């Protein structure tokens, strides 16, 4: 044979490439191929000849077998039997023996080594080794690892599969325990189905094995000494998880079905007064301590969840990070990723469809957000409500999105409980070993409609024809165990009878009202709170010391000289001349809180420097690039300081910070929007969590939202933080909404929020300024920081000097106040007082009343805002001001006309309108006192 191409057929190029690799490094090919190549001589190849009479034939077969083995390892999932309903896998020619020009007979002639790896161990020939490989990669479990870039991880994963490290060989009793568990899961659903027909429960049937999978993860968590497992999941199977994993008593769940009313015995009005309005049962969270009081305890937390699918993901990640960190010391928090395990359970339609999933996956390796890996499980019932995969995702697998984040994927058929447990054991071990995310795609089906009132045959007639006759997970597993002589029919029946008997008993209890389930009110949600107390004043000397520490950098550390000069100006502003700007006031507030022992975490886009270059919390050495964070080096600090530039993401980052704040009630957690407008990208986190979680779930948070806001001619998108939306959502004392006009007020507001962390936790929404960041009229003095406190309403000091002359009180909030106060025509407007409403919600009725009482001759109250009439605070203020002013004064408004877009893109129009607003506001009142 002289023609290599003809001899080796289509594999010739591949063989030569392998041979080249072998010549450069013999270890780079597997041992069987190496043994063949050892017999080759480069000269014979150069001459285009065969190496020996027998080797070339063997080599072509060897290479073919080796290529087939490689294809099975990397694409076996395309041929795997994942669908319990029996649909054909996608397949791939690369998985077919014939594609390589060989047959099973050829494989049977070859040694198993040509397949290599662990599949070869124990096999008598290549055919058996390939069969073993197919069983590993294309059975009821299969894997996708090629997206993992690290060879160490890939080898670990291949070994785990090849050695079947996580396939346990349970004893008889363990099989029976698993069957019993699956029986409980099924019985629970069946019992609810029969007892409360048509009531929504979002049955787990078809993916019943999820519960034993969670059991297995929890068992593993106990073994690895994990302190807490935090679970995020949607509606599907949630009641089952609550009952069996969180051990919420059956009777409690059944009584919720039976009663469908709010807390028994509590009059509705009282309940609303408490601020608690509750949620449907399949959204509720729970906590459970396993082994309570024993030496090893594990806390299991199921986060409450809104209907909005997948938005709980970042919240769980944030809770996890909070649970992993200690913060009671100076510097940065100590994180122990082994302490807390996050577990996210997704829907197959929601996972590829909801953008917040990708946003959250992107967090896994970011220093500010990593939690050392999350175990993801897609409960894949192959339908999203009535929508089929071909209509809801563009990729073949529901899990494909995860591959872009280098996350390994394990697919498993939900009718094979043993394989499903193996999948989670392996996932857990990978997470513990590499501290990375991993995903299990649990492929099952949905036995009923989306909810139990739905008729699925309307839309999926063929699928449901199959499901109707498809045996349940329990039936299949019971039969399998019976066939293997592990259980008898009598034992199977007894398990079922017992499971139903327990449920019957629970129902009796529920009907008798013996066990109303009420989670202990650990959050101390207790009625309306009048905010009268202020944090203690910070002594001037303390602030002076902190300020000088903040401006002292380590020996040899050299930040940008221009920045250093700018910052060193802060050394003088605590003197009598003042000039403490917004950034400095914030830093001093933070420093004083750290000295009080309040840990701080702040994140947002470019927040380390600050979008408007005003913060500079992180300094960069000009030569080494090293960073120095002064707030981490304060001698007096008793709490940690964290600050992170976030990814360009709003939903996931805000959700994360919200979760962090819930789980770290000791810390002041702040999220800063680049511009306030961008917060609406995270609208579900605001609506579904921050604004309403307290009322729905008694979940408490003190998260601070910093939202740059103010009309400065930058166009429609950088002017308004949509203040109106936060005010519209304000009720039941759910949060505070503030718009400060001075650095001192901001200083005091932050300290007030920190002060209230323990006694009165509520989120705080702050409109933060842009032009006021360095405006002289917004700057503070040391005295204002150390001798004053937060004022919900700021009176007009100048007007007070001639209060009797005042006829018009202009009420306004935020930056427009400074525009009015600094306008040229202000000097002539002696009869106008400019009063600032700094805390918009809770509405400062008392403070406003007192302020108005200072102006005996006032005839008109005018609300002045830069925003269009249909935006800003007017819609919220109007009825409350009307109540306040009654018939004594005329109540008017000055604003831009109602608009659909918040601001103009034309700077001349902006100027014109702004001028008009200010001049109208400062013009002498024309209205007459009403009778
Ligand atoms: C953000 C959001 N959009 C729409 C819905 C309405 N919805 C509820 S369940 C569902 C289908 C979810 O399908 P999948 O993710 O596969 O979960 P499954 O219910 O099948 O377990 C839809 C569209 C929702 N709850 N949340």
């Amino acid at each position: 044979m002289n023609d290599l191409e003809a001899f080796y057929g289509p594999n010739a190029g591949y063989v030569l490439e392998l041979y080249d690799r072998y010549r450069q490094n013999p270890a780079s090919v597997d041992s069987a191929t190496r043994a063949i190549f050892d017999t080759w001589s480069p000269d014979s190849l150069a001459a285009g000849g065969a190496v020996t009479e027998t080797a070339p034939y063997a080599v072509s077969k060897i290479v073919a077998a080796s290529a087939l083995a490689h294809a099975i390892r990397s694409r076996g999932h395309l041929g795997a039997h994942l669908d319990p309903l029996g649909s054909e896998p996608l397949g791939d020619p690369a998985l077919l023996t014939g594609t390589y020009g060989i047959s099973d007979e050829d494989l049977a002639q070859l040694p198993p080594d040509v397949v290599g790896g662990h599949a070869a161990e124990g096999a008598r020939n290549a055919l058996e080794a390939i069969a073993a490989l197919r069983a590993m990669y294309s059975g009821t479990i299969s894997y996708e690892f090629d997206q993992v870039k690290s060879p160490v991880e890939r080898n670990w994963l291949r070994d785990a599969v090849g050695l079947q490290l996580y396939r346990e060989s349970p004893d008889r009793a363990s099989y029976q325990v698993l069957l019993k568990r699956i029986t409980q899961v099924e019985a629970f659903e069946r019992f609810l189905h029969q007892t409360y027909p048509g009531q929504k429960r979002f049955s787990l049937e078809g993916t019943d094995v999820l519960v034993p999978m969670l059991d297995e993860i929890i068992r593993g968590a106990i073994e690895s000494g994990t302190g807490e497992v935090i679970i995020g999941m949607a509606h599907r199977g949630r009641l089952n998880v609550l009952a069996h994993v969180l051990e919420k008593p059956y009777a409690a769940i059944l009584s919720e079905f039976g009663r469908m009313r709010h807390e028994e015995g509590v009059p509705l009005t009282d309940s609303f007064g408490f601020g608690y309005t509750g949620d449907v049962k399949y959204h509720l969270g729970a906590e459970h301590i396993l082994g309570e009081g024993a030496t090893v305890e594990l806390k299991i937390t199921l986060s409450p969840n809104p209907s909005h699918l997948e938005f709980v993901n970042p919240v769980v990640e944030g809770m996890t990070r909070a649970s992993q960190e200690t913060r009671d010391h100076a510097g940065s928090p100590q994180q122990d990723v082994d302490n807390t395990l996050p577990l996210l359970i997704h829907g197959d339609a929601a996972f590829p469809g909801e953008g917040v999933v990708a946003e959250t996956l992107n967090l896994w390796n970011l220093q500010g957000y990593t939690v050392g890996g999350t175990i993801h499980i897609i409960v894949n019932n192959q339908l999203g409500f009535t929508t089929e995969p071909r209509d809801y995702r563009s990729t073949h697998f529901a899990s494909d999105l995860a591959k872009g984040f280098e996350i390994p994927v394990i697919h498993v058929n939900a009718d094979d409980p043993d394989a499903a447990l193996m999948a989670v054991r392996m996932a857990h071990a990978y997470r513990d070993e590499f501290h990375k995310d991993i995903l299990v795609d649990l492929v099952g089906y949905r036995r009923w409609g989306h909810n139990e009132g739905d008729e699925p045959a309307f839309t999926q007639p063929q699928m449901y024809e199959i499901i109707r006759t498809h045996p349940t997970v329990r039936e299949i597993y019971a039969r399998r165990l019976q066939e293997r002589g592990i259980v008898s029919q009598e034992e199977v029946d007894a398990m079922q009878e017992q499971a139903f008997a327990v449920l019957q008993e629970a129902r009796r209890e529920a009907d008798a009202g013996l066990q109303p389930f009420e989670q202990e009110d650990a959050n101390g949600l207790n009625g309306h709170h009048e905010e009268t107390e202020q944090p203690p004043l910070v002594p001037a000397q303390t602030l002076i010391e902190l300020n000088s520490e903040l401006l002292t950098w380590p020996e040899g550390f050299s930040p940008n000289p221009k920045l250093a000069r700018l910052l060193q100006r802060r050394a003088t502003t605590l003197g009598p001349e003042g000039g403490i700007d917004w950034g400095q006031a914030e830093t001093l507030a933070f420093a004083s809180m750290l000295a009080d022992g309040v840990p701080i975490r702040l994140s947002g886009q470019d927040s380390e420097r600050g979008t408007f270059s005003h913060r500079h919390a992180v300094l960069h050495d000009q030569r080494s690039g090293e960073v120095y964070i002064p707030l981490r080096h304060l001698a007096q600090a008793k709490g940690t300081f964290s600050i992170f530039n976030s990814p360009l993401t709003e939903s996931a980052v805000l959700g994360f910070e919200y979760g962090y704040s819930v789980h770290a009630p000791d810390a002041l957690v702040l999220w800063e929007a680049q511009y306030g407008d961008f917060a609406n990208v995270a609208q579900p986190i605001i609506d579904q969590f921050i604004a309403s979680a307290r009322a729905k779930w008694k979940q408490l948070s003190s998260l601070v939202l910093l939202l740059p806001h103010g009309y400065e001619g930058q166009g429609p998108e950088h002017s308004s933080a949509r203040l109106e939306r936060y005010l519209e959502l304000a009720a039941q004392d759910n949060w505070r909404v503030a718009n400060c006009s001075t650095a001192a007020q901001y200083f005091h507001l932050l300290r007030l929020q920190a002060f209230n962390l323990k006694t009165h936790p509520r989120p705080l929404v702050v409109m933060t300024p842009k032009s006021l960041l360095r405006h002289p009229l917004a700057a503070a003095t040391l005295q204002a920081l150390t001798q004053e406190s937060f004022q919900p309403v700021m009176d007009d000091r100048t007007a007070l000097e001639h209060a009797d002359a005042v006829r018009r009180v202009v009420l306004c909030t935020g930056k427009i106040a400074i525009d009015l106060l600094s306008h040229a025509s202000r000097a002539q407007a002696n009869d106008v007082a400019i009063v600032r409403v700094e805390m918009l919600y809770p509405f400062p009725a008392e403070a406003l009343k007192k302020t108005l009482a200072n102006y005996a001759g006032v005839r008109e109250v005018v609300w002045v805002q830069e925003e269009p009439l249909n935006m800003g605070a007017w819609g919220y203020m109007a009825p409350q001001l009307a109540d306040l002013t009654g018939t004594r004064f005329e109540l008017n408004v000055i604003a831009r006309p109602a608009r659909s877009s918040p601001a103009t893109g034309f700077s001349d129009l902006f100027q014109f309108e702004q001028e008009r607003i200010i001049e109208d506001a400062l013009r002498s009142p024309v209205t007459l006192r009403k009778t």
Side-chain angles (χ1 to χ4, degrees):
M1 287 284 172
N2 291 328
D3 182 0
L4 184 76
E5 182 70 33
F7 188 78
Y8 295 119
N11 292 318
Y14 182 59
V15 174
L16 288 178
E17 197 186 306
L18 269 187
Y19 186 59
D20 260 2
R21 266 176 29 204
Y22 158 84
R23 289 191 57 204
Q24 278 162 27
N25 174 14
S28 68
V29 299
D30 65 61
S31 55
T33 314
R34 191 161 57 239
I36 304 291
F37 287 160
D38 285 344
T39 67
W40 286 21
S41 110
D43 298 342
S44 62
L45 274 186
V51 180
T52 67
E53 280 307 313
T54 53
Y57 173 81
V59 167
S60 70
K61 302 294 179 196
I62 286 165
V63 169
S66 168
L68 173 63
H70 177 73
I72 295 171
R73 286 190 181 98
S74 57
R75 297 195 213 174
H77 57 284
L78 298 176
H81 299 281
L82 299 173
D83 180 6
L85 303 180
S87 68
E88 274 305 304
L90 180 66
D92 190 310
L95 299 173
L96 304 175
T97 310
T99 303
Y100 300 86
I102 51 168
S103 63
D104 281 358
E105 290 70 37
D106 293 326
L107 287 172
Q109 301 297 316
L110 291 171
D113 291 10
V114 300
V115 170
H118 304 293
E121 289 158 17
R124 283 172 302 174
N125 53 44
L127 185 63
E128 285 186 9
I130 287 287
L133 210 53
R134 285 195 198 281
M136 284 174 194
Y137 284 94
S138 298
T140 51
I141 185 165
S142 74
Y143 312 89
E144 289 188 83
F145 301 150
D146 282 359
Q147 67 276 17
V148 177
K149 303 271 186 308
S150 153
V152 177
E153 287 176 35
R154 275 204 313 276
N155 286 341
W156 186 97
L157 291 160
R158 293 270 177 245
D159 279 348
V161 178
L163 295 168
Q164 296 282 287
L165 289 178
Y166 299 97
R167 183 179 291 283
E168 278 185 358
S169 314
D171 51 24
R172 211 181 156 78
S174 309
Y175 280 120
Q176 290 183 354
V177 167
L178 179 52
L179 178 62
K180 189 169 170 200
R181 191 57 153 171
I182 294 169
T183 306
Q184 287 170 339
V185 170
E186 182 185 294
F188 178 74
E189 298 289 356
R190 289 286 155 116
F191 187 83
L192 291 180
H193 198 80
Q194 291 157 10
T195 317
Y196 309 104
Q199 273 204 47
K200 281 186 195 177
R201 68 175 195 282
F202 299 105
S203 158
L204 186 61
E205 287 155 281
T207 46
D208 313 44
V209 73
L210 176 72
V211 168
M213 287 164 84
L214 299 184
D215 291 342
E216 192 65 16
I217 293 173
I218 286 162
R219 191 170 67 91
I222 294 171
E223 263 170 32
S224 3
T226 305
E228 184 171 6
V229 173
I230 306 184
I231 306 173
M233 73 180 294
H235 52 283
R236 178 75 48 214
R238 192 174 176 106
L239 295 180
N240 218 311
V241 169
L242 275 167
H244 294 121
V245 182
L246 277 295
E247 298 192 22
K248 178 169 176 172
Y250 283 158
I253 298 176
L254 299 185
S255 64
E256 286 169 357
F257 271 92
R259 281 212 304 272
M260 300 284 286
R261 283 192 284 143
H262 86 308
E263 290 161 59
E264 194 71 12
V266 179
L268 283 171
T269 46
D270 282 3
S271 169
F272 290 137
F274 268 58
Y276 174 59
T277 46
D279 200 348
V280 292
K281 50 190 167 297
Y282 41 84
H283 287 168
L284 300 178
E287 283 179 7
H288 177 57
I289 311 270
L290 264 184
E292 193 158 9
T295 39
V296 183
E297 274 189 6
L298 174 75
K299 182 175 172 193
I300 309 171
T301 302
L302 175 66
S303 171
N305 181 75
S307 197
H308 292 55
L309 296 168
E310 305 289 344
F311 281 87
V312 77
N313 301 355
V315 176
V316 164
E317 299 291 335
M319 288 177 165
T320 305
R321 175 78 175 230
S323 165
Q324 292 173 340
E325 290 188 340
T326 53
R327 295 171 286 273
D328 55 353
H329 51 88
S332 56
Q334 299 286 319
Q335 185 182 7
D336 175 4
V337 294
D338 291 323
N339 185 57
T340 317
L341 173 71
L343 186 52
L344 290 179
I345 299 166
H346 311 273
D348 54 302
F351 187 81
E354 292 294 345
V356 69
V357 174
E359 290 187 16
T360 309
L361 294 179
N362 186 43
L363 301 180
W364 77 258
N365 202 21
L366 306 182
Q367 57 150 345
Y369 308 89
T370 180
V371 291
T374 299
I375 299 179
H376 301 267
I377 300 175
I378 297 181
V379 175
N380 184 349
N381 53 28
Q382 309 188 60
L383 278 177
F385 209 146
T386 64
T387 306
E388 294 178 27
R390 63 165 182 257
D391 292 323
Y392 72 65
R393 64 175 193 251
S394 292
T395 58
H396 183 68
F397 289 103
S399 52
D400 283 336
L401 171 75
K403 292 203 291 179
F405 296 90
E406 298 183 33
I407 295 171
V409 175
I410 307 174
H411 304 281
V412 66
N413 183 318
D415 268 358
D416 186 346
D418 295 323
L421 296 201
M422 173 176 160
V424 288
R425 276 193 290 271
M426 180 169 160
H428 199 166
Y430 174 85
R431 188 268 176 191
D432 281 359
E433 181 73 20
F434 299 105
H435 294 128
K436 271 188 63 180
D437 285 27
I438 183 160
L439 186 146
V440 177
D441 174 26
L442 176 70
V443 186
Y445 60 92
R446 193 186 69 195
R447 184 155 290 275
W448 312 104
H450 171 64
N451 63 58
E452 290 63 32
D454 268 344
E455 173 48 81
F458 287 166
T459 46
Q460 276 76 36
Q462 288 152 321
M463 185 182 201
Y464 275 84
E465 194 51 36
I466 300 173
I467 291 174
R468 213 169 44 78
T469 53
H470 188 76
T472 68
V473 180
R474 181 193 63 82
E475 285 165 348
I476 293 173
Y477 197 58
R479 198 171 57 223
R480 198 176 300 160
L481 296 193
Q482 276 175 265
E483 280 162 13
R484 292 167 61 188
I486 295 171
V487 287
S488 65
Q489 184 62 50
E490 291 69 42
E491 284 169 316
V492 171
D493 293 343
M495 280 181 198
Q496 262 206 299
E497 275 161 30
Q498 200 198 355
F500 275 97
V502 174
L503 284 155
Q504 290 291 5
E505 178 52 34
R507 186 178 177 198
R508 274 191 288 277
E509 246 183 79
D511 288 350
L514 294 179
Q515 192 165 23
F517 179 75
E518 184 55 24
Q519 286 267 300
E520 194 185 324
D521 190 359
N523 290 330
L525 185 75
N526 54 5
H528 196 82
H529 177 96
E530 280 302 326
E531 195 159 74
T532 47
E533 271 193 80
Q534 290 286 340
L537 295 177
V538 187
Q541 192 49 37
T542 305
L543 272 198
I544 290 168
E545 281 167 24
L546 291 170
N547 192 48
S548 96
E549 275 191 275
L550 289 165
L551 299 173
T552 312
W553 307 315
E555 193 65 25
F557 185 85
S558 49
N560 176 291
K562 192 167 144 206
L563 175 61
R565 269 197 312 280
L566 272 174
L567 290 177
Q568 287 305 338
R569 267 205 232 135
R570 292 183 177 180
T572 61
T573 51
L574 270 57
E577 68 286 2
I580 300 168
D581 67 12
W582 210 273
Q584 186 178 12
E586 180 188 82
T587 312
L588 289 170
F590 287 164
S592 70
M593 290 176 217
L594 293 172
D596 291 343
V598 176
I600 297 166
R601 177 184 160 99
L602 166 61
S603 93
Q605 287 151 28
D606 308 289
S607 287
E608 291 180 4
R609 187 202 73 170
T611 297
F612 312 103
S613 203
H614 68 287
R615 180 170 292 121
H616 298 289
V618 179
L619 304 176
H620 299 255
D621 185 280
Q622 294 302 284
R623 288 185 298 272
S624 67
E626 264 173 45
V627 298
Y628 180 72
I629 302 177
L631 283 162
R632 287 196 178 152
H633 299 274
L634 301 172
Q636 301 187 37
K638 295 190 283 290
T640 56
F641 180 73
S642 307
I643 186 158
F644 299 106
N645 285 341
S646 79
L648 209 172
T649 299
E650 282 80 17
S651 283
V653 173
L654 185 56
F656 187 101
E657 301 306 346
Y658 172 77
Y660 195 105
S661 73
V662 168
H663 228 60
D666 56 313
L668 186 75
V669 184
L670 306 98
W671 174 75
E672 182 174 61
Q674 186 118 67
Y675 283 91
D677 330 39
F678 298 124
N680 64 11
V681 179
Q683 203 63 49
I685 300 293
I686 296 165
D687 292 345
Q688 266 58 46
F689 290 90
I690 304 172
S692 59
R694 179 171 174 265
K696 293 190 295 190
W697 313 316
K698 302 182 183 177
Q699 188 172 63
L700 301 183
S701 159
S702 293
L703 181 66
V704 181
L705 275 68
L706 302 177
L707 308 178
H709 171 83
Y711 281 58
E712 281 153 16
Q714 290 192 53
E717 258 60 84
H718 289 146
S719 299
S720 175
R722 308 276 190 175
L723 171 62
E724 60 279 6
R725 299 206 174 140
Y726 300 93
L727 295 172
E728 172 190 84
L729 289 169
Q732 295 179 297
D733 194 26
N734 64 334
W735 57 19
R736 302 170 176 88
V737 181
N739 190 8
C740 306
S741 61
T742 71
Q745 281 281 87
Y746 180 52
F747 173 92
H748 293 302
L749 181 67
L750 290 176
R751 285 188 46 79
L752 181 63
Q753 183 70 356
F755 179 68
N756 280 323
L757 280 175
K758 289 202 181 81
T759 52
H760 191 197
R762 280 176 300 174
L764 167 66
V765 181
V766 195
M767 302 291 122
T768 57
K770 293 164 287 177
S771 61
L772 296 196
L773 292 172
R774 300 175 181 85
H775 197 293
L777 280 184
T781 59
L782 179 63
Q783 193 189 14
L785 301 192
T786 55
Q787 290 176 25
E788 294 173 6
S789 56
F790 181 76
Q791 303 169 58
V793 174
M794 282 178 83
D795 207 341
D796 184 339
R797 285 183 194 172
T798 313
L800 278 173
E801 287 167 15
H802 46 80
D804 288 347
V806 169
R807 299 288 173 270
R808 166 187 272 185
V809 170
V810 162
L811 293 181
C812 57
T813 185
K815 181 217 128 206
I816 187 81
I818 303 295
D819 287 355
L820 288 163
L821 290 166
S822 57
H823 196 267
S825 49
R826 152 82 167 157
Q828 283 80 57
N830 265 342
D831 46 2
V832 176
I834 297 162
V835 172
R836 300 174 238 183
V837 182
E838 304 266 309
M839 181 68 88
L840 292 149
Y841 183 84
F843 182 69
E846 287 310 310
L848 275 170
K849 262 188 222 158
K850 268 193 211 149
T851 308
L852 290 177
N854 290 336
Y855 303 101
V858 69
R859 296 173 179 181
E860 184 196 22
V861 171
V862 186
W863 178 259
V864 176
Q865 66 177 33
E866 318 177 272
E867 298 90 341
L869 203 56
N870 54 328
M871 300 177 189
W874 172 240
Y876 160 82
M877 295 301 279
Q880 318 217 51
L881 290 178
D883 275 357
L884 203 72
T885 53
T887 52
R888 288 177 303 143
F889 321 115
E890 177 115 356
L891 177 61
N892 287 314
V893 60
I894 297 172
R896 285 183 163 78
R899 295 241 161 92
S900 55
S901 166
T904 172
F906 302 107
S907 57
D908 50 350
L909 178 57
F910 164 77
Q911 281 302 345
F912 172 80
E913 287 184 340
Q914 193 77 358
E915 225 16 61
R916 184 192 61 76
I917 288 170
I918 293 168
E919 282 178 4
D920 283 359
L922 295 174
R923 196 172 297 146
S924 297
V926 289
T927 52
L928 294 172
R929 179 188 292 273
K930 288 185 169 180
T931 51

